[in-house]
Amino acid sequence: MNERSIKFERDEQHLFNARIIAAALLILFALLGILARAYHLQVLENGKYAELSRQHYQKRIPIPPNRGQIYDRNGVLLAGSHTQYVLEVVRDSIGDENKDGKSTLADIDVLVERLGEFISLSEKDIRVFTQNARKFKYQPVPVKENLSEQEVATFSVNRPRFPGVNLEVRMERYYPLGTIASHIIGYVGRIDERDLEKLNKDEYLGTSHIGKTGVEAFHEDRLHGQAGFDLVEVDAHGKTQEELEKRSPIGGQDLFLGIDINLQMTSERLLKDERGAIVALDPQTGEVLTLASMPGYDPNLFINGISHKDYTELRDNPDRPLYNRALQGTYPPGSTIKPMVGVAGLAEGVINPGSHVYDPGFFRLSGQKHVFRCWNKRGHGSVNLKHAITQSCDTFFYDLAYRMGIDRFSGFMHKFGFGEETGIDLPSESPGLMPTPEWKEKRHKRNWYPGDTVNVGIGQGYWLATPLQLAHATTVMANRGVRLRPHVLRGVRTAKNQEEQILKPDPFPTVEAEEKFWDLTVQGMESVMHPGGTARAAGAGAPYRIAGKTGTAQVFGLAGGKYNAGRIAKRLRDHALFVGFAPADEPKIAVAVIVENALGGGGSVAAPIGRKLMDAYLLKQYDNDETLEAEVTAGAQDDPHD
Amino acid sequence: MIRYLLPDWLTRALQRVDAVLLAALSLLVFMGLATLYSASDANWSMVYRQGIHFLIGLALIIIFSQIQSKTLKQWAIWLYGVGLVLLVLVLVIGVTKKGATRWLNLGVDIQPAEIMKLAVPMMVAYYFSEKPLPPRFVDIVVALVLVFVPMLLIMKQPDLGTSLLIATSGFFVIYLAGMSWWLIGGSVLFVAVAAPLMYFFGMHDYQRRRVDTLLNPEQDVLGTGYHIYQSKIAIGSGGVSGKGWMNGDQSHLDFLPERHTDFIFAVFGEEFGLMGNLVLMGLYLFIIWRGLYLASKGEDTFARLLAGSLSMTFFFYLFVNTGMVTGLLPVVGVPLPLVSYGGTSVVTLMMAFGIIMGMRKRKRVYQQED
């Protein structure tokens, strides 16, 4: 090499080295760029991607809790859950006969055909299953629900021949007594959109049914329990890889109602073929012993969605079986409230125990022509409060109400619970109506007339009460002022300690009146049941003392005409009412009975029903074909998840 | 010490192997196999096969490090010529798979573009080695023609990714030869203008979709954006320290596609986190810099240009792959060098490192002994 080429060579090396250094720097920066990107993803946006990744691979499979059972006060099952068998297929696990070892869609058809040999599959079953099975490869797809025991047995024997086909056990609600106590128990139904708005979605993820009405709805929170879950790791296909965490569900509370189911059955039988309601309360606790509304319905129809035909039938039935008369039905209370009005008059000082009123058969406001008739046209002559109650003298109470004035009258009746909800633990209770001048002004845009007060004095006019309110007010009479909130739920048993806890009574403010005022009115109520009283027939021969009061509620105003129940249309007939409690000296049961459009009055129709109820409860003389008793196994609930 | 245990010829052969580079490569190979073990869900046979690829590669490093630059220079024109003929034949009688005609059936299917990955930088380096440097404008034009002809032939197959990679290795030679910075700047500006035109008028639909996916991957997570979306979740969820070896959720649960091949970087990033990425990138940088250093110690112009270009191409593969997996660049089928599973890629890359080592100046002392 000559000198020039050496210099040339050196320049070239120099140039190359410069280029190499530049390249080394460029590469450094480029790789720093990649690292900056990694920093961006792994540090700055780490939270976002970590969450996305978790969502990807973790799946929470909810495990629904077992719904609590409902029992009556003696442990008779009213609402339970029984096992239902569902046949499910996981397509990925279907064993097949193909030699290439691949699951193909054709296998589904073969499978269905072979399953059909053991289980009856309708065309619809097959269609729905085939569609779903094509969609989901790793999730179980139901082939048939509600398998009969025969089918379960047959399939179980042949099970080894069907890998990938599983018999799943689900819990389903049922009401063993059918229509009995349907208005108390209510029913569950499939969760719909309106339910979804209210409920805690996390807790209901695996739950399909929710209480729709009755105790099932009101005590939903107690009955439902706490959902468990299975946190599993899934792959991109949704296939479970391993279990990460598991929380067992906690079953709902078992509920013990204050209902005596035998008394309930007696009530329903007594109202058979009638429209009416019976409410029986334990005055000492406020527990509902019976709450019957007739006619009733079979709650089992609603569990998995009632058919259109059944629903139309129930909805269009003129007797309105879905309507809970005991809570929602509002009736003029009629003469049943006379004892309460009497207490009010005494307590307010409008009358005293010796006050007499002369009843010529009618009452007339001074200076007015209009007469308010007593039911007895001949008049009761001179009556005091006790006689007025015994014989249900209207004139006495027209006079009393008029002199008390509507404000004091309404105010005192509110203390007995009229015109407001009792707050019973059942949904859709009506507050009834305890009218005031303000109410009339607002509602009818008219002034309150003195005559309105007079009508209200005998439980007519604008006054409306529910059978529950009447029974409730009757317990106040029985308790001499002590007022306890009526409630259906008597006690609960939690899944954990298995011990029954009885709920404490929930008192309202006591209705203040002197003891002798209570005695006097209760004595009047006792005389109602004895010779000379309006319910003497119903009271005859009772081995315990009864305090009662009959009533008749006008449905149709006859303008001075003569009322003859047999002659006018059934729906225009008067309602027959009765309230009472027994034993009068140590009350154990208070009842309110209403028979709509009865062929007869309170004394002849409603009071005998009340008496029979008292006999049934106090003497255990139930008017039933059989007396239901708690099953030995009550409470031992089998848990399919453990 | 080892010298006494090995046969004399092997001892002498091993003297040509750069121990520093080999050590760094071995470390990378080890990391690669560990990642592959995890990415393949503990598939030993896959790791074993990849290990075989590396052993073949090791043999190729030893063999190719023996080849002197003057020998390789003689091969350049032949290799380039044969490659060009084969590329033309592909267009005429090529085998078509998945809508692309990239293979020739010579008993087995071969992909002539693979030959060009080496032949193009060799040919351009050979051309410049005979010319004064820095190159004259006319020489640059000739070099560009040498690059563009195979590039266009490959683009026609169509195989956009490979054609760009091959062209880039050619450009690297031109850059190293000393093409003026002004011209480089002008060319970059030209590409910046031409790229959008290319997008609208010169691309197949699938290519355009890839670019769209790059620009907005979240828009279409189930379609073409799925790969990038999944790999970003994998890397991003790895965080600073990673989820730990064998613990990547995205990769082990099948969410990440191509996870043992092109997208293995996402598995690595998920399991070893930012720390792991720092180590990996540091190792790559060391390897590339070592390659550039060896290039600067090249025997002659051809040796320097070729070794430099191959080192830079190695970087370019790394950059395209990691840029793609992290969502910076469009999805191009480029493996993560020496980590992704695949025999062809491993063998070719190891061969290239053998060439880089062989281009180094012969030691005087050694030659005197010879």
Side-chain angles (χ1 to χ4, degrees):
Chain A
M1 285 184 204
N2 57 36
E3 228 172 84
R4 197 173 167 276
S5 78
I6 288 170
K7 185 184 178 289
F8 186 68
E9 175 82 10
R10 200 183 296 133
D11 286 349
E12 215 181 283
Q13 178 77 53
H14 202 71
L15 172 70
F16 184 80
N17 287 351
R19 286 295 161 119
I20 286 289
I21 288 166
L25 287 175
L26 277 172
I27 287 166
L28 173 67
F29 288 127
L31 293 187
L32 283 176
I34 295 289
L35 282 174
R37 175 65 173 173
Y39 176 82
H40 179 80
L41 293 175
Q42 299 187 301
V43 177
L44 301 182
E45 293 196 324
N46 173 252
K48 170 183 155 191
Y49 289 114
E51 181 54 33
L52 279 169
S53 166
R54 232 190 318 282
Q55 283 171 12
H56 259 166
Y57 71 84
Q58 289 189 354
K59 203 168 97 183
R60 195 182 262 257
I61 300 169
I63 309 173
N66 283 332
R67 195 172 177 85
Q69 320 250 44
I70 303 176
Y71 299 95
D72 90 334
R73 68 187 297 124
N74 298 315
V76 177
L77 185 67
L78 305 180
S81 301
H82 60 179
T83 47
Q84 194 225 62
Y85 291 93
V86 181
L87 203 64
E88 290 180 342
V89 171
V90 180
R91 182 155 67 84
D92 185 52
S93 320
I94 300 177
D96 53 39
E97 292 154 303
N98 286 3
K99 280 167 195 165
D100 59 1
K102 274 187 181 174
S103 286
T104 58
L105 284 180
D107 287 331
I108 289 180
D109 300 327
V110 176
L111 180 79
V112 166
E113 197 179 307
R114 288 182 53 212
L115 279 174
E117 295 166 25
F118 304 100
I119 294 149
S120 72
L121 292 171
S122 70
E123 260 179 46
K124 194 185 164 199
D125 287 338
I126 295 171
R127 199 182 59 240
V128 171
F129 167 69
T130 314
Q131 272 173 6
N132 289 331
R134 274 172 224 276
K135 260 186 269 171
F136 305 105
K137 192 175 173 193
Y138 301 100
Q139 274 118 311
V141 176
V143 188
K144 197 185 177 194
E145 300 187 342
N146 248 332
L147 266 71
S148 70
E149 285 187 20
Q150 175 72 38
E151 286 172 325
V152 170
T154 324
F155 177 77
S156 298
V157 172
N158 291 286
R159 189 173 188 162
R161 296 169 59 182
F162 296 100
V165 183
N166 301 313
L167 207 52
E168 280 296 316
V169 180
R170 283 187 203 161
M171 297 302 278
E172 194 175 81
R173 203 63 159 170
Y174 76 115
Y175 303 101
L177 304 183
T179 61
I180 294 164
S182 55
H183 286 291
I184 306 163
I185 304 164
Y187 51 82
V188 297
R190 290 192 183 279
I191 294 174
D192 61 30
E193 279 173 28
R194 261 184 303 164
D195 299 323
L196 281 174
E197 285 168 16
K198 288 179 284 184
L199 52 78
N200 176 352
K201 290 187 180 66
D202 287 341
E203 284 296 328
Y204 280 83
L205 272 179
T207 306
S208 55
H209 287 69
I210 191 169
K212 295 284 185 181
T213 162
V215 168
E216 291 274 33
F218 195 94
H219 291 296
E220 173 65 28
D221 291 345
R222 288 180 186 273
L223 287 164
H224 181 259
Q226 200 184 346
F229 61 81
D230 212 352
L231 193 64
V232 294
E233 190 183 73
V234 294
D235 66 11
H237 314 292
K239 194 172 177 179
T240 299
Q241 299 292 303
E242 70 176 302
E243 186 177 84
L244 303 172
E245 196 188 335
K246 184 175 178 163
R247 190 184 84 181
S248 295
I250 299 169
Q253 297 174 356
D254 287 336
L255 305 187
F256 290 86
L257 306 187
I259 303 295
D260 176 342
I261 198 64
N262 292 304
L263 187 66
Q264 177 76 22
M265 285 161 73
T266 304
S267 305
E268 293 184 14
R269 175 176 277 229
L270 290 170
L271 286 178
K272 206 181 168 202
D273 304 326
E274 300 281 1
R275 280 169 290 115
I278 291 175
V279 177
L281 302 173
D282 181 342
Q284 290 166 18
T285 58
E287 287 164 13
V288 176
L289 299 171
T290 275
L291 191 139
S293 172
M294 291 297 280
Y297 58 90
D298 184 355
N300 290 301
L301 292 174
F302 289 86
I303 295 169
N304 282 318
I306 188 166
S307 73
H308 185 71
K309 180 176 157 283
D310 287 340
Y311 186 69
T312 313
E313 224 165 78
L314 285 172
R315 189 193 56 197
D316 297 343
N317 185 331
D319 292 341
R320 300 173 69 191
L322 293 175
Y323 171 64
N324 188 349
R325 294 175 156 77
L327 296 183
Q328 295 162 276
T330 56
Y331 305 88
S335 303
T336 56
I337 45 71
K338 281 174 182 164
M340 297 83 173
V341 175
V343 171
L346 293 166
E348 292 285 335
V350 179
I351 55 169
N352 60 57
S355 299
H356 279 73
V357 167
Y358 181 76
D359 170 26
F362 61 88
F363 173 81
R364 198 200 308 254
L365 287 166
S366 58
Q368 289 193 12
K369 274 188 185 171
H370 181 79
V371 291
F372 297 88
R373 292 184 185 283
C374 184
W375 66 271
N376 186 342
K377 281 187 183 161
R378 286 170 290 148
H380 293 97
S382 179
V383 287
N384 63 12
L385 176 61
K386 191 181 164 190
H387 289 140
I389 291 172
T390 309
Q391 294 172 16
S392 201
C393 173
D394 291 336
T395 307
F396 185 91
F397 288 97
Y398 288 143
D399 175 69
L400 170 54
Y402 175 66
R403 289 198 286 132
M404 197 192 284
I406 187 61
D407 293 332
R408 277 201 286 172
F409 189 98
S410 270
F412 212 97
M413 288 305 111
H414 265 285
K415 293 184 189 171
F416 279 96
F418 290 107
E420 61 187 40
E421 289 158 11
T422 63
I424 191 176
D425 50 344
L426 285 174
S428 36
E429 181 192 3
S430 165
L433 175 61
M434 191 66 237
T436 59
E438 294 76 38
W439 165 82
K440 190 182 176 190
E441 178 70 33
K442 210 173 155 192
R443 173 76 178 75
H444 292 284
K445 307 267 178 277
R446 289 172 112 169
N447 287 332
W448 183 267
Y449 301 119
D452 292 332
T453 312
V454 173
N455 271 327
V456 166
I458 60 157
Q460 297 282 354
Y462 297 113
W463 190 352
L464 295 172
T466 64
L468 176 65
Q469 284 174 334
L470 286 177
H472 176 53
T474 307
T475 64
V476 180
M477 289 302 303
N479 290 338
R480 286 159 164 76
V482 173
R483 198 180 151 205
L484 303 171
R485 189 187 300 279
H487 55 276
V488 169
L489 183 62
R490 179 171 191 262
V492 296
R493 182 172 62 196
T494 56
K496 264 189 194 154
N497 57 20
Q498 288 291 315
E499 265 173 47
E500 194 181 333
Q501 292 171 296
I502 305 294
L503 272 61
K504 287 200 185 92
D506 178 13
F508 286 102
T510 303
V511 181
E512 299 292 347
E514 283 177 47
E515 199 59 29
K516 58 182 180 185
F517 297 163
W518 292 111
D519 290 342
L520 185 69
T521 40
V522 170
Q523 278 163 26
M525 288 176 78
E526 283 189 58
S527 324
V528 168
M529 310 303 292
H530 290 96
T534 53
R536 55 196 171 275
Y544 49 86
R545 290 165 65 191
I546 307 175
K549 183 72 196 79
T550 57
T552 302
Q554 269 183 21
V555 174
F556 180 62
L558 291 167
K562 208 178 170 191
Y563 178 82
N564 184 330
R567 283 213 200 136
I568 63 172
K570 185 173 182 196
R571 298 214 170 259
L572 299 179
R573 284 182 211 151
D574 293 346
H575 301 324
L577 292 91
F578 174 76
V579 300
F581 57 89
D585 42 353
E586 198 200 341
K588 289 202 168 75
I589 179 171
V591 303
V593 177
I594 181 158
V595 181
E596 288 184 16
N597 314 119
L599 195 65
S604 59
V605 175
I609 292 177
R611 166 69 193 278
K612 280 180 185 157
L613 281 173
M614 290 170 179
D615 282 355
Y617 186 68
L618 297 172
L619 309 177
K620 304 290 167 211
Q621 292 172 0
Y622 298 115
D623 183 16
N624 299 333
D625 295 334
E626 56 166 341
T627 303
L628 293 180
E629 277 168 29
E631 288 172 43
V632 188
T633 54
Q637 190 178 342
D638 49 323
D639 189 337
H641 301 296
D642 287 340
Chain B
M1 206 166 68
I2 297 169
R3 201 177 291 175
Y4 301 108
L5 300 171
L6 297 173
D8 198 35
W9 62 267
L10 187 57
T11 314
R12 226 177 297 149
L14 284 177
Q15 301 231 332
R16 294 297 305 161
V17 175
D18 184 63
V20 175
L21 185 52
L22 187 65
L25 287 173
S26 303
L27 188 57
L28 181 63
V29 163
F30 170 75
M31 286 170 73
L33 288 176
T35 311
L36 180 65
Y37 182 74
S38 175
S40 66
D41 258 331
N43 183 341
W44 262 117
S45 80
M46 187 180 275
V47 175
Y48 175 78
R49 265 174 296 167
Q50 182 79 337
I52 297 293
H53 298 151
F54 281 122
L55 287 180
I56 295 170
L58 184 65
L60 288 174
I61 282 185
I62 297 169
I63 293 166
F64 275 79
S65 61
Q66 310 307 313
I67 300 171
Q68 294 194 24
S69 76
K70 57 186 179 201
T71 316
L72 212 55
K73 207 158 129 183
Q74 287 162 7
W75 292 359
I77 197 156
W78 292 107
L79 196 65
Y80 183 81
V82 169
L84 221 49
V85 170
L86 292 178
L87 280 179
V88 173
L89 282 178
V90 165
L91 291 183
V92 184
I93 54 161
V95 180
T96 305
K97 295 178 191 170
K98 291 181 192 169
T101 313
R102 296 173 186 170
W103 296 268
L104 266 185
N105 192 323
L106 306 175
V108 289
D109 284 353
I110 66 149
Q111 201 176 343
E114 290 295 321
I115 297 169
M116 282 313 208
K117 282 181 178 170
L118 205 54
V120 166
M122 275 169 72
M123 184 63 204
V124 180
Y126 164 76
Y127 179 75
F128 280 128
S129 69
E130 303 293 312
K131 307 289 173 201
L133 295 181
R136 292 167 300 176
F137 185 74
V138 61
D139 290 332
I140 292 174
V141 173
V142 173
L144 283 176
V145 171
L146 290 174
V147 173
F148 280 133
V149 170
M151 174 183 149
L152 290 172
L153 285 172
I154 295 166
M155 216 185 249
K156 196 94 182 135
Q157 292 179 350
D159 190 349
L160 188 65
T162 307
S163 71
L164 288 177
L165 289 172
I166 286 169
T168 305
S169 65
F171 296 151
F172 284 152
V173 181
I174 301 174
Y175 158 80
L176 289 172
M179 177 181 177
S180 97
W181 287 107
W182 290 108
L183 274 175
I184 293 172
S187 309
V188 169
L189 197 70
F190 171 77
V191 171
V193 175
L197 293 173
M198 185 79 177
Y199 173 81
F200 287 112
F201 304 110
M203 280 192 182
H204 284 263
D205 275 350
Y206 82 96
Q207 293 163 337
R208 208 171 293 158
R209 235 177 290 129
R210 282 181 180 179
V211 177
D212 292 344
T213 298
L214 169 79
L215 297 178
N216 200 353
E218 267 92 3
Q219 203 168 35
D220 182 23
V221 288
L222 294 175
T224 45
Y226 184 78
H227 287 51
I228 289 178
Y229 183 70
Q230 293 297 342
S231 72
K232 275 164 71 180
I233 291 176
I235 295 171
S237 65
V240 174
S241 51
K243 296 177 184 173
W245 186 56
M246 299 296 290
N247 280 332
D249 304 298
Q250 292 305 108
S251 27
H252 285 279
L253 299 174
D254 226 2
F255 287 100
L256 196 63
E258 308 278 352
R259 60 182 181 280
H260 56 273
T261 55
D262 290 357
F263 280 79
I264 199 165
F265 183 63
V267 178
F268 184 87
E270 184 182 23
E271 298 191 349
F272 299 104
L274 188 62
M275 296 305 196
N277 286 339
L278 269 171
V279 172
L280 185 69
M281 285 301 170
L283 185 56
Y284 271 120
L285 189 65
F286 181 82
I287 289 168
I288 294 159
W289 279 1
R290 184 69 189 175
L292 291 176
Y293 168 79
L294 291 178
S296 74
K297 302 286 174 201
E299 179 82 50
D300 51 23
T301 304
F302 173 78
R304 285 193 289 265
L305 291 179
L306 181 61
S309 162
L310 291 179
S311 300
M312 288 178 77
T313 306
F314 181 79
F315 149 76
F316 192 65
Y317 279 33
L318 170 70
F319 182 74
V320 170
N321 178 272
T322 53
M324 160 183 87
V325 174
T326 55
L328 285 174
L329 299 174
V331 175
V332 180
V334 175
L336 183 64
L338 299 185
V339 174
S340 286
Y341 179 81
T344 316
S345 158
V346 165
V347 165
T348 322
L349 288 168
M350 296 293 258
M351 202 169 82
F353 279 108
I355 291 172
I356 290 169
M357 291 174 189
M359 293 300 101
R360 195 178 182 178
K361 262 186 208 119
R362 308 275 140 172
K363 280 178 189 160
R364 287 276 160 78
V365 187
Y366 192 77
Q367 281 180 335
Q368 278 173 354
E369 273 180 6
D370 196 21

